[in-house]
Amino acid sequence: TFDVVAVTLPSYERQLVSTASSTANRRTATGNSLSASGISDNGQRTVFSSAAPDLVAGAGGNVYSSFVFDQSAGTNRHVGQTPDGAAFTRSIRDPQLARGGRHVVFLSDQGFLTPGDTNTLSDAFVQDLETRALTLASARDQSDESLDGLTSEPLINADGRWVAFLN
């Protein structure tokens, strides 16, 4: 299996990011963890993808999902959840963490995550890690209706206000 590791330079202090949630001894999660794709400016949060079933209770295992590791707390937060806490049933791809560490943009082809997301095409979403609010970034306009076609390669600015993607 692959693990995600954060390293502080120049001291080379290493911290296991893809760690199982059920242990105080910080062991490697069971399953592949891939795509460490963002770290906050202060180094406190790292976003990555994994299919490991034991990173966070109720997440991973059957689909690749995204997680944000909090260095100071030593815990992972599941990004693949609706605001009411239900886990996504389809994979999340290309997570990107805003440099400020509060917002994550990602792709999912699961429909009905937001009221206007009525297709099962790949759409870009932004999740606020503090409020759990989920926004369809690839919306046609403020009506929250999905754009036609596939969305790919999402990017997000430092404070989460600006998002770019291919459509």
Side-chain angles (χ1 to χ4, degrees):
T1 64
F2 293 98
D3 293 316
V4 177
V5 177
V7 178
T8 304
L9 298 176
S11 68
Y12 289 92
E13 178 185 337
R14 297 175 187 272
Q15 184 160 12
L16 179 63
V17 170
S18 53
T19 182
S21 62
S22 61
T23 179
N25 297 329
R26 301 196 40 102
R27 66 172 173 77
T28 299
T30 56
N32 280 332
S33 293
L34 306 169
S35 177
S37 54
I39 192 163
S40 61
D41 277 350
N42 65 3
Q44 290 301 301
R45 291 185 171 171
T46 303
V47 67
F48 66 99
S49 296
S50 181
D54 52 352
L55 286 166
V56 173
N62 294 325
V63 298
Y64 273 92
S65 198
S66 293
F67 301 87
V68 173
F69 179 74
D70 184 313
Q71 286 273 89
S72 55
T75 58
N76 283 302
R77 175 182 289 186
H78 187 206
V79 175
Q81 290 181 309
T82 61
D84 64 0
F88 295 1
T89 57
R90 310 263 320 215
S91 290
I92 293 175
R93 297 175 314 286
D94 300 328
Q96 301 291 322
L97 182 66
R99 289 188 351 245
R102 180 173 173 167
H103 299 89
V104 177
V105 65
F106 59 88
L107 300 175
S108 179
D109 59 3
Q110 181 169 335
F112 305 102
L113 292 177
T114 60
D117 180 26
T118 58
N119 64 30
T120 55
L121 298 175
S122 183
D123 289 308
F125 296 89
V126 174
Q127 186 155 52
D128 183 318
L129 296 174
E130 291 182 18
T131 67
R132 286 263 182 231
L134 187 64
T135 302
L136 175 63
S138 56
R140 184 170 310 285
D141 54 31
Q142 290 181 338
S143 70
D144 204 30
E145 178 184 339
S146 297
L147 291 170
D148 294 329
L150 297 175
T151 301
S152 64
E153 301 185 36
L155 297 172
I156 191 165
N157 79 321
D159 67 4
R161 184 173 175 212
W162 298 92
V163 175
F165 50 83
L166 292 178
N167 181 260

